[in-house]
Coordinates of all heavy atoms in Angstrom, one line a residue:
M1 N 138.0 201.4 122.9 CA 136.8 202.0 122.5 C 137.0 202.9 121.3 O 138.1 203.5 121.1 CB 136.2 202.8 123.7 CG 134.7 202.9 123.7 SD 134.1 203.8 125.1 CE 134.7 202.8 126.4
E2 N 136.0 203.0 120.4 CA 136.1 203.7 119.2 C 134.9 204.7 119.0 O 133.8 204.3 119.3 CB 136.1 202.6 118.1 CG 136.8 203.1 116.8 CD 136.7 202.1 115.7 OE1 136.5 200.9 116.0 OE2 136.8 202.4 114.6
Y3 N 135.2 205.8 118.4 CA 134.2 206.8 118.1 C 133.7 206.6 116.7 O 134.5 206.6 115.8 CB 134.7 208.2 118.3 CG 134.9 208.6 119.7 CD1 136.1 208.5 120.3 CD2 133.8 209.1 120.4 CE1 136.3 208.9 121.6 CE2 134.0 209.6 121.7 CZ 135.2 209.4 122.3 OH 135.4 209.8 123.6
V4 N 132.4 206.4 116.5 CA 131.9 206.2 115.1 C 130.8 207.2 114.9 O 130.0 207.5 115.8 CB 131.4 204.8 114.8 CG1 132.6 203.8 114.8 CG2 130.3 204.4 115.7
C5 N 130.7 207.7 113.7 CA 129.6 208.5 113.3 C 128.4 207.6 112.9 O 128.5 206.8 112.0 CB 130.0 209.4 112.1 SG 128.6 210.3 111.4
P6 N 127.2 207.8 113.5 CA 126.1 206.9 113.2 C 125.6 207.1 111.8 O 125.0 206.2 111.2 CB 125.0 207.4 114.2 CG 125.5 208.7 114.7 CD 127.0 208.8 114.6
I7 N 125.8 208.3 111.2 CA 125.4 208.5 109.8 C 126.3 207.8 108.8 O 125.9 207.1 107.9 CB 125.2 210.0 109.5 CG1 124.1 210.5 110.4 CG2 124.9 210.2 108.1 CD1 123.9 212.0 110.3
C8 N 127.6 208.0 109.0 CA 128.6 207.4 108.1 C 128.5 205.9 108.1 O 128.8 205.2 107.2 CB 130.0 207.8 108.5 SG 130.5 209.5 108.2
N9 N 128.1 205.3 109.3 CA 128.0 203.9 109.4 C 126.6 203.4 109.1 O 126.3 202.2 109.4 CB 128.4 203.5 110.8 CG 129.9 203.6 111.0 OD1 130.6 202.6 110.7 ND2 130.4 204.7 111.4
G10 N 125.7 204.2 108.6 CA 124.4 203.8 108.2 C 123.5 203.4 109.4 O 122.5 202.7 109.2
M11 N 123.8 203.8 110.6 CA 123.0 203.5 111.7 C 121.9 204.5 112.0 O 120.9 204.2 112.7 CB 123.9 203.4 113.0 CG 124.9 202.3 112.9 SD 126.4 202.7 113.9 CE 125.7 202.7 115.6
A12 N 122.0 205.6 111.4 CA 121.0 206.7 111.5 C 120.9 207.5 110.3 O 121.9 207.6 109.5 CB 121.3 207.5 112.7
T13 N 119.8 208.2 110.1 CA 119.7 209.1 109.0 C 119.3 210.5 109.5 O 118.5 210.6 110.4 CB 118.5 208.7 108.0 OG1 118.6 207.3 107.8 CG2 118.5 209.4 106.7
Y14 N 120.0 211.4 109.0 CA 119.8 212.8 109.5 C 119.0 213.5 108.4 O 119.4 213.7 107.3 CB 121.1 213.5 109.7 CG 121.0 214.8 110.5 CD1 121.2 214.8 111.9 CD2 120.8 216.0 109.9 CE1 121.1 216.0 112.6 CE2 120.7 217.2 110.6 CZ 120.9 217.1 111.9 OH 120.8 218.3 112.7
L15 N 117.8 213.9 108.8 CA 116.9 214.6 107.8 C 116.9 216.1 108.1 O 116.7 216.5 109.3 CB 115.5 214.1 107.9 CG 115.4 212.6 107.5 CD1 113.9 212.2 107.6 CD2 115.9 212.3 106.1
L16 N 117.2 216.9 107.1 CA 117.3 218.3 107.3 C 116.5 219.0 106.2 O 116.6 218.7 105.1 CB 118.8 218.7 107.2 CG 119.1 220.1 107.7 CD1 118.9 220.3 109.1 CD2 120.6 220.4 107.3
R17 N 115.7 219.9 106.7 CA 114.9 220.6 105.7 C 115.5 222.0 105.4 O 116.0 222.6 106.3 CB 113.4 220.8 106.2 CG 112.6 219.6 106.2 CD 111.1 219.8 106.2 NE 110.5 218.5 106.2 CZ 110.3 217.7 105.1 NH1 110.7 218.2 104.0 NH2 109.7 216.6 105.3
C18 N 115.4 222.3 104.1 CA 116.0 223.6 103.7 C 115.2 224.7 104.3 O 114.0 224.8 104.2 CB 115.9 223.7 102.2 SG 116.4 225.3 101.5
P19 N 115.9 225.7 104.9 CA 115.2 226.8 105.6 C 114.5 227.7 104.6 O 113.7 228.6 105.0 CB 116.3 227.5 106.4 CG 117.5 227.1 105.7 CD 117.3 225.7 105.1
H20 N 114.9 227.6 103.3 CA 114.4 228.6 102.3 C 113.2 228.0 101.6 O 112.2 228.7 101.4 CB 115.5 228.9 101.3 CG 116.7 229.5 101.9 ND1 116.7 230.8 102.5 CD2 117.9 229.0 102.2 CE1 117.9 231.0 103.0 NE2 118.6 230.0 102.8
C21 N 113.2 226.7 101.2 CA 112.1 226.2 100.4 C 111.4 225.0 101.1 O 110.4 224.6 100.6 CB 112.6 225.7 99.0 SG 113.7 224.3 99.1
G22 N 112.0 224.5 102.2 CA 111.3 223.5 102.9 C 111.5 222.1 102.4 O 111.0 221.1 102.9
K23 N 112.3 221.9 101.3 CA 112.6 220.6 100.7 C 113.6 219.9 101.6 O 114.4 220.5 102.3 CB 113.2 220.8 99.3 CG 112.1 220.9 98.3 CD 112.8 220.6 96.9 CE 111.7 220.4 95.8 NZ 112.2 219.9 94.6
Q24 N 113.6 218.6 101.5 CA 114.6 217.8 102.2 C 116.0 218.0 101.6 O 116.1 217.9 100.4 CB 114.2 216.4 102.2 CG 115.0 215.6 103.2 CD 114.5 214.1 103.3 OE1 113.4 213.9 103.6 NE2 115.4 213.2 103.0
M25 N 116.9 218.3 102.4 CA 118.3 218.6 101.9 C 119.0 217.2 101.7 O 118.8 216.3 102.4 CB 119.0 219.5 102.8 CG 118.4 220.9 102.8 SD 119.2 222.0 104.0 CE 120.7 222.5 103.0
E26 N 120.0 217.3 100.8 CA 120.7 216.1 100.4 C 122.0 216.0 101.2 O 122.7 216.9 101.3 CB 121.0 216.2 98.9 CG 121.5 214.9 98.3 CD 121.9 215.3 96.8 OE1 121.1 215.9 96.1 OE2 123.0 214.9 96.4
N27 N 122.2 214.8 101.7 CA 123.5 214.6 102.5 C 124.6 214.4 101.4 O 124.6 213.4 100.7 CB 123.3 213.4 103.4 CG 124.6 213.1 104.2 OD1 125.6 213.8 104.1 ND2 124.5 212.1 105.1
R28 N 125.6 215.3 101.4 CA 126.6 215.2 100.4 C 127.9 214.6 101.0 O 129.0 214.6 100.4 CB 127.0 216.6 99.9 CG 126.0 217.1 98.9 CD 126.2 216.4 97.6 NE 125.2 216.7 96.6 CZ 125.3 217.7 95.7 NH1 126.4 218.4 95.6 NH2 124.4 217.9 94.8
G29 N 127.8 214.0 102.2 CA 128.9 213.4 102.8 C 129.7 214.2 103.8 O 129.2 215.3 104.2
T30 N 130.8 213.8 104.1 CA 131.5 214.5 105.2 C 132.5 215.5 104.7 O 133.0 215.4 103.6 CB 132.4 213.5 106.1 OG1 133.3 212.8 105.2 CG2 131.5 212.5 106.7
V31 N 132.7 216.5 105.5 CA 133.7 217.5 105.2 C 134.6 217.8 106.4 O 134.2 217.5 107.5 CB 133.1 218.9 104.8 CG1 132.5 218.8 103.4 CG2 132.1 219.3 105.8
V32 N 135.8 218.2 106.1 CA 136.6 218.6 107.2 C 136.7 220.1 107.1 O 137.1 220.7 106.0 CB 138.1 218.0 107.1 CG1 138.9 218.5 108.3 CG2 138.0 216.5 107.2
E33 N 136.2 220.8 108.1 CA 136.1 222.3 108.0 C 137.4 223.0 107.8 O 138.4 222.5 108.2 CB 135.4 222.8 109.2 CG 133.9 222.6 109.1 CD 133.2 223.1 110.4 OE1 133.4 222.6 111.4 OE2 132.4 224.1 110.2
F34 N 137.3 224.1 107.1 CA 138.4 225.0 106.8 C 139.5 224.5 106.1 O 140.6 225.0 106.0 CB 138.9 225.8 108.1 CG 139.4 224.9 109.2 CD1 140.7 224.3 109.1 CD2 138.7 224.6 110.4 CE1 141.2 223.5 110.0 CE2 139.2 223.8 111.3 CZ 140.5 223.2 111.2
L35 N 139.3 223.4 105.3 CA 140.4 222.8 104.5 C 140.2 223.2 103.0 O 141.1 222.9 102.2 CB 140.5 221.3 104.7 CG 140.8 220.8 106.1 CD1 140.9 219.3 106.0 CD2 142.1 221.4 106.5
D36 N 139.1 223.8 102.7 CA 138.8 224.0 101.3 C 139.9 224.6 100.4 O 140.0 224.2 99.2 CB 137.6 224.9 101.2 CG 136.4 224.3 102.0 OD1 136.5 223.2 102.5 OD2 135.3 225.0 102.0
D37 N 140.7 225.4 101.0 CA 141.7 226.1 100.1 C 143.1 225.5 100.1 O 144.0 226.0 99.4 CB 141.9 227.6 100.6 CG 140.5 228.3 100.5 OD1 139.8 228.1 99.5 OD2 140.3 229.2 101.4
Y38 N 143.2 224.4 100.7 CA 144.5 223.7 100.8 C 144.7 222.7 99.6 O 143.7 222.2 99.1 CB 144.7 223.0 102.1 CG 144.9 224.0 103.3 CD1 143.8 224.4 104.0 CD2 146.1 224.5 103.6 CE1 143.9 225.3 105.0 CE2 146.3 225.4 104.7 CZ 145.1 225.8 105.4 OH 145.3 226.6 106.4
S39 N 145.9 222.4 99.3 CA 146.1 221.4 98.3 C 145.8 220.0 98.9 O 145.8 219.9 100.1 CB 147.6 221.4 97.9 OG 148.4 220.9 99.0
P40 N 145.6 219.0 98.1 CA 145.2 217.7 98.6 C 146.3 217.1 99.5 O 146.1 216.5 100.5 CB 145.1 216.8 97.3 CG 144.8 217.8 96.3 CD 145.5 219.0 96.6
Y41 N 147.6 217.4 99.2 CA 148.7 216.9 100.0 C 148.6 217.5 101.4 O 148.7 216.8 102.4 CB 150.0 217.3 99.3 CG 151.2 216.9 100.2 CD1 151.6 215.6 100.3 CD2 151.9 217.9 100.9 CE1 152.7 215.2 101.1 CE2 153.0 217.5 101.7 CZ 153.4 216.2 101.8 OH 154.4 215.8 102.6
L42 N 148.5 218.8 101.5 CA 148.4 219.5 102.8 C 147.1 219.1 103.5 O 147.2 218.8 104.7 CB 148.3 221.0 102.6 CG 149.6 221.8 102.8 CD1 149.3 223.3 102.5 CD2 150.1 221.6 104.2
A43 N 146.1 219.0 102.8 CA 144.8 218.6 103.4 C 144.9 217.3 104.1 O 144.3 217.1 105.2 CB 143.7 218.5 102.4
M44 N 145.7 216.3 103.5 CA 145.8 215.0 104.2 C 146.5 215.1 105.5 O 146.0 214.5 106.5 CB 146.6 214.1 103.2 CG 146.3 212.6 103.5 SD 147.5 211.6 102.6 CE 146.9 211.8 100.9
D45 N 147.6 215.9 105.6 CA 148.3 216.1 106.8 C 147.3 216.7 107.9 O 147.3 216.3 109.0 CB 149.4 217.1 106.6 CG 150.7 216.3 106.1 OD1 150.5 215.1 106.0 OD2 151.6 217.0 105.8
I46 N 146.6 217.8 107.4 CA 145.8 218.5 108.4 C 144.6 217.7 108.8 O 144.2 217.7 110.0 CB 145.3 219.8 107.8 CG1 146.5 220.7 107.5 CG2 144.3 220.5 108.7 CD1 146.3 221.9 106.7
T47 N 144.1 216.9 107.9 CA 143.0 216.0 108.3 C 143.4 215.1 109.4 O 142.6 214.8 110.3 CB 142.6 215.1 107.1 OG1 142.2 216.0 106.0 CG2 141.4 214.2 107.4
Q48 N 144.6 214.6 109.3 CA 145.1 213.7 110.4 C 145.2 214.5 111.7 O 144.8 213.9 112.8 CB 146.5 213.1 110.1 CG 146.3 212.0 109.0 CD 147.6 211.6 108.4 OE1 148.7 212.2 108.7 NE2 147.5 210.7 107.4
L49 N 145.6 215.7 111.7 CA 145.7 216.5 112.9 C 144.3 216.7 113.4 O 144.0 216.6 114.6 CB 146.3 217.9 112.6 CG 147.8 217.9 112.4 CD1 148.3 219.3 112.1 CD2 148.5 217.4 113.7
V50 N 143.4 217.1 112.6 CA 142.0 217.4 113.0 C 141.4 216.1 113.6 O 140.7 216.2 114.6 CB 141.2 217.9 111.8 CG1 139.7 218.0 112.2 CG2 141.7 219.3 111.4
D51 N 141.6 215.0 112.9 CA 141.1 213.7 113.4 C 141.6 213.5 114.8 O 140.8 213.0 115.6 CB 141.6 212.6 112.5 CG 140.6 212.3 111.4 OD1 139.5 212.8 111.4 OD2 141.0 211.6 110.4
G52 N 142.8 213.8 115.1 CA 143.3 213.6 116.4 C 142.7 214.5 117.4 O 142.5 214.1 118.6
A53 N 142.4 215.7 117.0 CA 141.9 216.7 117.9 C 140.4 216.6 118.2 O 140.0 216.8 119.3 CB 142.2 218.1 117.4
A54 N 139.7 216.4 117.2 CA 138.2 216.4 117.3 C 137.6 215.0 117.0 O 137.1 214.8 116.0 CB 137.6 217.4 116.5
H55 N 137.8 214.1 117.9 CA 137.4 212.7 117.7 C 135.9 212.5 117.8 O 135.3 211.6 117.3 CB 138.0 211.8 118.8 CG 139.1 211.0 118.3 ND1 139.1 210.4 117.1 CD2 140.3 210.7 118.8 CE1 140.2 209.7 116.9 NE2 141.0 209.9 117.9
D56 N 135.2 213.5 118.5 CA 133.8 213.2 118.8 C 132.8 213.8 117.8 O 131.6 213.7 118.0 CB 133.5 213.6 120.2 CG 133.8 215.0 120.4 OD1 134.5 215.7 119.7 OD2 133.2 215.6 121.4
Q57 N 133.3 214.5 116.7 CA 132.4 215.1 115.8 C 132.7 214.8 114.4 O 133.8 214.7 114.0 CB 132.3 216.6 116.0 CG 131.9 217.0 117.4 CD 131.0 218.2 117.4 OE1 131.2 219.1 116.7 NE2 130.0 218.1 118.2
C58 N 131.7 214.6 113.6 CA 131.8 214.3 112.2 C 131.0 215.4 111.5 O 129.8 215.5 111.8 CB 131.2 212.9 111.9 SG 131.4 212.4 110.2
V59 N 131.6 216.1 110.6 CA 130.9 217.2 109.9 C 130.4 216.7 108.6 O 131.1 216.3 107.7 CB 131.8 218.4 109.8 CG1 131.0 219.6 109.1 CG2 132.4 218.9 111.1
H60 N 129.1 216.9 108.4 CA 128.4 216.5 107.1 C 127.9 217.7 106.4 O 127.5 218.7 107.0 CB 127.2 215.6 107.4 CG 127.6 214.2 107.7 ND1 127.4 213.1 106.8 CD2 128.2 213.6 108.8 CE1 127.9 212.0 107.4 NE2 128.4 212.3 108.6
L61 N 128.0 217.6 105.1 CA 127.6 218.7 104.3 C 126.2 218.4 103.7 O 126.0 217.3 103.1 CB 128.5 218.9 103.1 CG 128.2 220.1 102.2 CD1 128.5 221.4 102.9 CD2 129.1 220.0 100.9
F62 N 125.2 219.2 103.9 CA 123.9 219.1 103.4 C 123.6 220.1 102.3 O 124.1 221.3 102.5 CB 122.8 219.2 104.5 CG 122.8 217.9 105.4 CD1 123.7 217.8 106.4 CD2 121.9 216.9 105.1 CE1 123.7 216.7 107.2 CE2 121.9 215.8 105.9 CZ 122.8 215.7 107.0
Y63 N 122.9 219.7 101.3 CA 122.8 220.6 100.1 C 121.4 220.6 99.6 O 120.8 219.6 99.5 CB 123.8 220.1 99.0 CG 123.8 221.0 97.8 CD1 124.4 222.2 97.8 CD2 123.2 220.5 96.6 CE1 124.4 223.0 96.7 CE2 123.3 221.3 95.5 CZ 123.9 222.6 95.5 OH 123.9 223.4 94.4
C64 N 120.9 221.8 99.3 CA 119.6 221.9 98.6 C 119.8 222.3 97.2 O 120.3 223.3 96.8 CB 118.7 223.0 99.3 SG 117.2 223.3 98.5
E65 N 119.3 221.3 96.3 CA 119.4 221.5 94.8 C 118.7 222.7 94.4 O 119.1 223.5 93.5 CB 118.8 220.3 94.1 CG 119.7 219.0 94.2 CD 120.8 219.0 93.1 OE1 120.7 219.9 92.3 OE2 121.6 218.1 93.2
E66 N 117.5 222.9 95.0 CA 116.6 224.0 94.6 C 117.2 225.4 94.8 O 117.2 226.2 93.9 CB 115.4 223.8 95.5 CG 114.1 224.5 95.0 CD 113.5 223.7 93.8 OE1 113.9 222.5 93.6 OE2 112.6 224.2 93.2
C67 N 117.8 225.6 96.0 CA 118.3 226.9 96.3 C 119.8 227.1 96.2 O 120.3 228.1 96.4 CB 117.9 227.3 97.7 SG 116.2 227.0 98.1
K68 N 120.5 226.0 95.9 CA 122.0 226.0 95.9 C 122.5 226.4 97.2 O 123.5 227.1 97.3 CB 122.5 226.9 94.8 CG 121.9 226.8 93.4 CD 122.2 225.4 92.8 CE 121.5 225.3 91.4 NZ 121.1 223.9 91.2
Y69 N 121.8 226.0 98.2 CA 122.2 226.3 99.6 C 122.8 225.2 100.3 O 122.3 224.0 100.2 CB 120.9 226.8 100.4 CG 121.0 227.0 101.8 CD1 121.6 228.1 102.3 CD2 120.6 226.0 102.7 CE1 121.8 228.3 103.7 CE2 120.7 226.2 104.1 CZ 121.3 227.3 104.6 OH 121.4 227.5 105.9
D70 N 123.9 225.4 100.9 CA 124.5 224.3 101.7 C 124.8 224.6 103.1 O 124.9 225.8 103.5 CB 125.8 223.7 101.0 CG 126.9 224.7 100.9 OD1 127.2 225.4 101.9 OD2 127.5 224.8 99.8
K71 N 124.8 223.6 103.9 CA 124.9 223.8 105.4 C 125.8 222.7 105.9 O 125.6 221.5 105.5 CB 123.5 223.8 106.0 CG 123.5 224.1 107.5 CD 122.1 224.2 107.9 CE 121.9 224.1 109.4 NZ 122.6 225.2 110.1
R72 N 126.7 223.0 106.8 CA 127.5 222.0 107.5 C 126.9 221.7 108.9 O 126.5 222.6 109.6 CB 128.9 222.5 107.7 CG 129.6 222.5 106.4 CD 130.8 223.4 106.5 NE 131.3 223.6 105.1 CZ 132.6 223.7 104.8 NH1 133.5 223.8 105.8 NH2 133.0 223.9 103.6
V73 N 126.7 220.4 109.1 CA 126.2 220.0 110.4 C 127.1 219.1 111.1 O 127.6 218.1 110.6 CB 124.8 219.2 110.2 CG1 124.2 218.8 111.5 CG2 123.8 220.1 109.4
S74 N 127.4 219.4 112.4 CA 128.3 218.6 113.2 C 127.5 217.4 113.8 O 126.5 217.7 114.5 CB 129.0 219.4 114.3 OG 129.8 220.3 113.7
I75 N 127.9 216.2 113.5 CA 127.2 215.1 114.0 C 128.0 214.5 115.2 O 129.2 214.3 115.1 CB 127.0 214.0 113.0 CG1 126.3 214.5 111.7 CG2 126.3 212.8 113.5 CD1 124.9 215.0 111.9
Q76 N 127.4 214.3 116.3 CA 128.0 213.8 117.5 C 128.4 212.3 117.2 O 127.5 211.5 116.9 CB 127.1 213.9 118.7 CG 127.8 213.6 120.0 CD 128.9 214.7 120.3 OE1 128.7 215.9 120.1 NE2 130.0 214.3 120.8
R77 N 129.6 211.9 117.4 CA 130.0 210.5 117.2 C 129.6 209.8 118.5 O 129.6 210.4 119.6 CB 131.5 210.4 117.0 CG 131.8 210.8 115.5 CD 133.2 210.5 115.2 NE 133.5 210.7 113.8 CZ 134.6 211.3 113.3 NH1 135.6 211.6 114.1 NH2 134.7 211.5 112.1
I78 N 129.4 208.5 118.4 CA 129.0 207.7 119.5 C 130.1 206.7 119.8 O 130.8 206.2 118.9 CB 127.7 207.0 119.4 CG1 127.7 206.1 118.1 CG2 126.5 208.0 119.4 CD1 126.4 205.3 117.9
K79 N 130.3 206.3 121.0 CA 131.3 205.4 121.4 C 130.8 204.0 121.2 O 129.7 203.6 121.6 CB 131.7 205.5 122.9 CG 132.6 206.7 123.2 CD 132.9 206.7 124.7 CE 133.3 208.1 125.1 NZ 133.1 208.4 126.5
M80 N 131.6 203.2 120.6 CA 131.2 201.8 120.4 C 132.1 200.9 121.2 O 133.3 201.1 121.4 CB 131.5 201.4 118.9 CG 130.6 202.1 117.9 SD 128.9 201.5 118.0 CE 129.1 200.0 117.0
Ligands
ZN1 ZN1 129.7 211.0 109.5
ZN2 ZN1 115.9 225.0 99.3

């Protein structure tokens, strides 16, 4: 059995409205939380650890062009 994110796999669309201006926010893809300050080399190692630990969630970054506001949303992965 495998966990897949329905958004990454194009099975679902997550629509999120900006709390400030009400516009639809743009899906900027996935992020692995708290890795922003690490080098790419380190990030790769940690990503693997995180992958092992949190199999059931995929974190997507949504962004509002208008307000320069971004928000991370944890998407529940589904078992296939
Ligand atoms: Zn995803
Ligand atoms: Zn906005």
